Amino acid sequence: MDARENKTQVVINMKGDRKYIWIFLLPTAAFLSIFLYYPFFKSLYFSFYRTKGFFDKKFIGWDNYDRLISDKLLGAATLHTLEIMLYVLVFQVGIALVLAVMVDNISKFKSFFRAVFFFPVVISGTAISLLFVLFYNYNFGLLNNVMVNLGLEKVLWLSETNALKAIAVPTVWHYVGFYFVLFVTAMSKIPEDYYDAAKLEGITGFKKMIKLTIPLILSDIKVVITLAITGTMKVFDFVWVISRAQNGTDVLGTYMYKKAMVDQNFGYGSTVAIYMVILGVVIALLANRLLKSEEITY
Amino acid sequence: MKKSSLLLLSMLVVFTMFLAACGSKTEDKNAAPETPKTETETPKETEAPKKDVSLRVFSTFGGTDSAREAFQAALDEFTAKNPNVKINNDTMSANDDGFRTKVNTDMTSGNEPDLLFYFVGADAQGFVDAGKVVPLNDILDANADWKAGFAPAALENTRQKDGNIYAAPLTGFYEGLFVNKKIFADNNLELPTDWDKMKTAVQTLSKKGIIPLAAPFDQSHYVIEHFILSAAGDKGHNAGLADGIDPNWEKGYAAMKELYDLGAFPKDAATIDLSMASNYFGEGKAAMILEGSWAMGNWKDAAVIDNTTVLPFPAMPGGVGTGKDVIGGFGSGFYLSKSTFDNADKKDTAIELLKNMTSPAVIEKIAIANGGTPAAAGVEIKGANQTATDGFAMAANATSVNNPIDTMVSPETFSTLRAGVQSVVTGKKAPADVLKEAKAIEDANKK
């Protein structure tokens, strides 16, 4: 059978498969359209309206976008989001990588550590936030109790200069385990031959990690970074519960919620949502461009 | 091509049917369907011989609400008498703004509860204007003994802008300055009945490391209401921001700063929420708190609640408040939704339940549980404790009883006022600027 014939055969087969492809894609497509694309376009529609509660709306053209540009609170919220993003990229991805390398190098208790590090991921963000409310509370929080017992002054953990960093701690901690598991899985896919070769060359320890392991899982690191960036755009629960988005901790998620839900100004809330989508896409694209490198195949 | 598109179409149909089936099933659970359109397995509900009725009652009598059990008991009593009625007691905590969203979404999306317990005033204006609830005037007139059961002032207080009564009140509330008398006595302080005593108390207590006034900056509803009421008096307070800024409002904000500078607020006022502030008072760590009558139920510590009294917020120098003005009223009640009213199967039962839930007997039970003022005529309750009795006396001796500010201005305006508290007390913004900002939002909302 020559090659061309073979190809036609494949195309014909594909045609037969196509309807099955459609059938299997349809539920997800419908689900996505109902819960993602429809709300998105509805938000776009609402962003041109001044709304009053749920029942009253009036077309106002680009007014909401004008307000968006001159909104100082939104600017601050954007900066706070970017700051958290920085912490997440450095610490969340960094710690996950370090833990993964360490766990990859031990022979016993691997699955134990995997389970332990993954554990926070399954707890809801709100529950973790409540926990940290009790850690940080000025009057009877755990940290201040420890300070007092050590004979030190009480610290206002959620002060204007500290609050965002204090919130970044549980935010980072919550998802370290998730990225850790991704890294460990990626590392376990590296063929043993590479390590054997390295051993023969006498490359071990730190050098092995820098020269061998990390370059080989670079594509996974890229995925993780993209996930981390898009994940930070969604931060809401930690900020809302721990500091009520006060003291310089207002992020985009909480700002949008406040505008839309608390103020019941769905028009402007939708405009902020559109802004978030655009910002998120731009940052993700930017990150992808910066991290561009050739794919590695084993 | 044609074949595949046909297949696609049929899949779509199947899928929508699946969705529809899902939809109506959840509705069964939540809303009791008006008319079961899809053929699901609910033939009982459509043509039952004994006319089973299921009603959904939405309220905030859930979670940690002190009247939760009393409310459930009243519903149970009704279903015990009427075995053909099933009631879905749908509740959400009033601690956050989430329940407002829930109510508004339900009301716009055709998922109205049969009876809705919710605020009157600006909060309800949207669904009242949209005709989602029925005026109760005619029903009240048709049921003279039901109407006679209400205290006339209570019923009057729930009247909407258009002059109709849509909500049948249950209990009223008052807000005030709750004071821990023991802390005051221990520190040789007089109760804060005037501004100077207030300032002295704040100064002395903050020096001793006791929180003088447990108040959060973000959920500063009661702080704003009381400071403005004290500065601008009942007329200035009730005018809202619609027709210009009352110059006395500035004094209210300036007074917040005055007390803040003396150390009145908790150190972490910026990031705590209302329940944490209430916690500080309930644990005896704070000497005063501005709260509503419903908060008393959460202070379980006998050393605190037995030593607590409630005072009107003192008048401030230069202000026009009398020092006996009180925030309060009957800010909420039961609404009967239009769709239920139009549904012949449910209408009578729902009205019956409404009458039952607002009968003097039930009102009394709820009032005892939550410390609110009963909306029923002739029901005098002593209050569950001395604090509650003090509260009733305060409300009775008030020179004016006013609805809270957030019923006078749009939600976004009120958020701006709330956000202004921290910027003013920390000196980042002048009171006048905050009010100007709020006024601009209020005007934009009227467009």
Side-chain angles (χ1 to χ4, degrees):
Chain A
M1 224 187 272
D2 73 17
R4 196 184 296 164
E5 214 175 301
N6 215 342
K7 208 172 183 183
T8 0
Q9 195 66 43
V10 171
V11 171
I12 289 166
N13 271 344
M14 280 280 286
K15 254 191 182 161
D17 284 344
R18 189 160 285 164
K19 67 179 179 198
Y20 293 106
I21 293 175
W22 275 108
I23 292 171
F24 285 117
L25 281 180
L26 201 67
T28 319
F31 192 80
L32 277 182
S33 347
I34 294 169
F35 293 106
L36 201 77
Y37 298 116
Y38 172 70
F40 176 75
F41 286 111
K42 194 89 188 192
S43 292
L44 196 64
Y45 167 78
F46 273 130
S47 69
F48 293 103
Y49 284 86
R50 168 97 214 174
T51 56
K52 231 168 106 183
F54 280 68
F55 295 91
D56 216 4
K57 65 175 190 293
K58 196 175 160 232
F59 184 75
I60 51 163
W62 294 96
D63 279 12
N64 278 330
Y65 289 91
D66 280 345
R67 182 175 171 188
L68 196 72
I69 292 163
S70 58
D71 192 340
K72 278 184 202 149
L73 293 173
L74 182 75
T78 309
L79 286 179
H80 298 148
T81 309
L82 292 176
E83 193 179 331
I84 291 200
M85 198 177 283
L86 182 77
Y87 297 138
V88 162
L89 284 179
V90 174
F91 296 107
Q92 202 168 51
V93 179
I95 294 173
L97 192 58
V98 170
L99 288 178
V101 168
M102 284 176 3
V103 169
D104 195 51
N105 275 317
I106 56 174
S107 46
K108 276 181 192 171
F109 303 121
K110 234 182 208 180
S111 52
F112 169 75
F113 282 112
R114 256 193 223 208
V116 168
F117 292 145
F118 191 72
F119 190 63
V121 181
V122 293
I123 310 173
S124 96
T126 317
I128 295 180
S129 313
L130 282 173
L131 199 72
F132 275 79
V133 165
L134 298 176
F135 284 167
Y136 289 142
N137 182 280
Y138 179 78
N139 286 295
F140 39 61
L142 177 81
L143 293 178
N144 273 351
N145 266 334
V146 172
M147 301 287 276
V148 168
N149 283 335
L150 293 175
L152 299 166
E153 278 276 296
K154 278 186 184 177
V155 175
L156 186 56
W157 297 99
L158 297 172
S159 69
E160 269 176 271
T161 44
N162 258 343
L164 197 62
K165 295 184 190 80
I167 287 170
V169 172
T171 314
V172 164
W173 177 65
H174 189 200
Y175 258 69
V176 160
F178 182 68
Y179 301 133
F180 159 80
V181 166
L182 290 186
F183 285 141
V184 170
T185 317
M187 286 173 190
S188 67
K189 279 189 304 191
I190 300 175
E192 208 49 46
D193 326 6
Y194 288 78
Y195 288 119
D196 291 342
K199 215 175 192 175
L200 290 175
E201 301 282 343
I203 300 169
T204 49
F206 188 67
K207 207 168 179 190
K208 188 176 87 180
M209 173 183 131
I210 295 290
K211 299 267 178 184
L212 196 62
T213 313
I214 290 181
L216 286 176
I217 61 163
L218 208 61
S219 61
D220 298 88
I221 294 180
K222 258 167 62 181
V223 171
V224 164
I225 287 179
T226 316
L227 282 179
I229 287 174
T230 45
T232 359
M233 299 298 292
K234 292 185 281 191
V235 169
F236 172 83
D237 35 12
F238 292 103
V239 178
W240 192 251
V241 177
I242 294 179
S243 72
R244 299 206 58 86
Q246 299 292 301
N247 262 4
T249 57
D250 212 359
V251 293
L252 288 170
T254 52
Y255 188 67
M256 177 191 76
Y257 179 82
K258 276 201 280 192
K259 285 293 147 198
M261 296 302 173
V262 181
D263 293 359
Q264 299 193 1
N265 187 347
F266 294 96
Y268 191 57
S270 301
T271 318
V272 176
I274 299 292
Y275 165 79
M276 282 170 71
V277 170
I278 294 171
L279 187 73
V281 169
V282 167
I283 295 179
L285 284 179
L286 218 67
N288 254 344
R289 177 63 57 85
L290 289 175
L291 294 167
K292 209 163 196 177
S293 64
E294 74 272 35
E295 286 292 315
I296 297 163
T297 42
Y298 307 126
Chain B
M1 218 18 190
K2 255 188 180 171
K3 242 186 182 174
S4 65
S5 61
L6 205 76
L7 195 84
L8 219 131
L9 213 80
S10 51
M11 276 305 290
L12 204 77
V13 170
V14 169
F15 193 71
T16 22
M17 274 164 74
F18 168 68
L19 261 185
C22 274
S24 75
K25 216 170 184 182
T26 41
E27 234 172 61
D28 282 354
K29 256 190 202 157
N30 287 333
E34 290 116 85
T35 40
K37 284 168 213 139
T38 37
E39 292 170 356
T40 43
E41 314 128 87
T42 49
K44 276 181 250 156
E45 301 231 348
T46 41
E47 284 148 35
K50 280 194 85 185
K51 271 206 174 167
D52 281 355
V53 183
S54 88
L55 298 174
R56 182 164 71 103
V57 180
F58 181 85
S59 71
T60 49
F61 292 109
T64 54
D65 195 284
S66 37
R68 185 172 64 106
E69 277 119 23
F71 186 78
Q72 180 67 52
L75 290 175
D76 290 345
E77 203 180 303
F78 185 81
T79 43
K81 270 190 229 155
N82 304 276
N84 63 323
V85 181
K86 264 196 203 133
I87 295 175
N88 175 1
N89 182 13
D90 190 1
T91 60
M92 220 169 137
S93 167
N95 283 346
D96 213 336
D97 290 306
F99 73 100
R100 293 174 198 253
T101 313
K102 155 93 175 153
V103 166
N104 281 313
T105 340
D106 274 1
M107 295 309 268
T108 28
S109 58
N111 189 30
E112 302 100 313
D114 299 296
L115 289 186
L116 166 71
F117 188 80
Y118 195 58
F119 298 122
V120 297
D123 276 306
Q125 203 59 49
F127 60 74
V128 165
D129 288 346
K132 298 286 179 185
V133 290
V134 284
L136 300 177
N137 310 23
D138 293 344
I139 309 174
L140 279 163
D141 289 338
N143 296 275
D145 15 318
W146 180 42
K147 190 177 183 181
F150 289 107
L155 216 46
E156 211 45 51
N157 208 273
T158 59
R159 217 176 264 280
Q160 214 62 32
K161 261 188 202 156
D162 63 1
N164 285 326
I165 294 171
Y166 292 89
L170 195 51
T171 59
F173 69 99
Y174 54 83
E175 291 168 15
L177 182 68
F178 288 82
V179 179
N180 188 327
K181 286 184 286 187
K182 189 166 177 296
I183 296 183
F184 273 77
D186 289 350
N187 293 288
N188 297 319
L189 288 164
E190 285 179 276
L191 292 184
T193 45
D194 65 38
W195 197 251
D196 283 331
K197 286 176 191 159
M198 181 72 159
K199 282 202 308 195
T200 323
V202 166
Q203 244 167 340
T204 319
L205 292 169
S206 83
K207 263 181 210 148
K208 294 203 173 168
I210 299 166
I211 301 167
L213 179 67
F217 290 153
D218 176 40
Q219 292 183 312
S220 47
H221 307 59
Y222 315 131
V223 174
I224 297 173
E225 286 155 12
H226 286 95
F227 277 80
I228 288 185
L229 183 62
S230 166
D234 55 338
K235 287 213 180 69
H237 172 273
N238 296 344
L241 284 170
D243 313 311
I245 306 168
D246 185 324
N248 283 319
W249 281 40
E250 268 180 50
K251 289 182 196 153
Y253 270 83
M256 288 177 205
K257 181 166 172 52
E258 187 186 6
L259 289 191
Y260 174 83
D261 289 341
L262 294 174
F265 292 86
K267 270 240 167 72
D268 49 358
T271 51
I272 56 171
D273 59 5
L274 208 50
S275 53
M276 187 56 86
S278 177
N279 213 343
Y280 288 166
F281 186 83
E283 299 271 323
K285 287 185 184 292
M288 296 178 277
I289 187 169
L290 286 163
E291 257 288 8
S293 46
W294 55 84
M296 280 182 279
N298 294 327
W299 303 325
K300 305 278 184 223
D301 188 354
V304 172
I305 188 69
D306 292 348
N307 285 307
T308 298
T309 187
V310 54
L311 306 168
F313 193 71
M316 58 186 70
V320 293
T322 60
K324 279 191 168 183
D325 296 315
V326 167
I327 302 280
F330 293 86
S332 52
F334 279 109
Y335 292 87
L336 178 62
S337 71
K338 181 85 166 72
S339 62
T340 310
F341 188 76
D342 291 343
N343 183 343
D345 289 342
K346 286 183 176 182
K347 181 184 163 187
D348 293 332
T349 322
I351 292 178
E352 216 37 61
L353 178 64
L354 176 65
K355 281 160 66 179
N356 196 69
M357 291 308 286
T358 50
S359 65
V362 172
I363 288 179
E364 185 172 359
K365 276 178 203 147
I366 304 259
I368 289 173
N370 69 7
T373 29
V379 174
E380 290 263 345
I381 53 167
K382 273 185 226 139
N385 49 41
Q386 186 56 40
T387 316
T389 312
D390 292 353
F392 289 140
M394 175 189 79
N397 296 327
T399 47
S400 70
V401 177
N402 309 282
N403 286 319
I405 283 187
D406 59 354
T407 62
M408 331 269 179
V409 297
S410 80
E412 202 179 357
T413 313
F414 194 62
S415 289
T416 317
L417 290 173
R418 273 165 59 181
V421 172
Q422 186 179 11
S423 359
V424 166
V425 297
T426 52
K428 277 192 197 129
K429 277 184 193 160
D433 295 339
V434 166
L435 293 173
K436 237 181 262 162
E437 230 174 274
K439 170 75 177 147
I441 299 268
E442 180 78 1
D443 289 345
N445 254 308
K446 268 193 298 188
K447 266 183 205 165

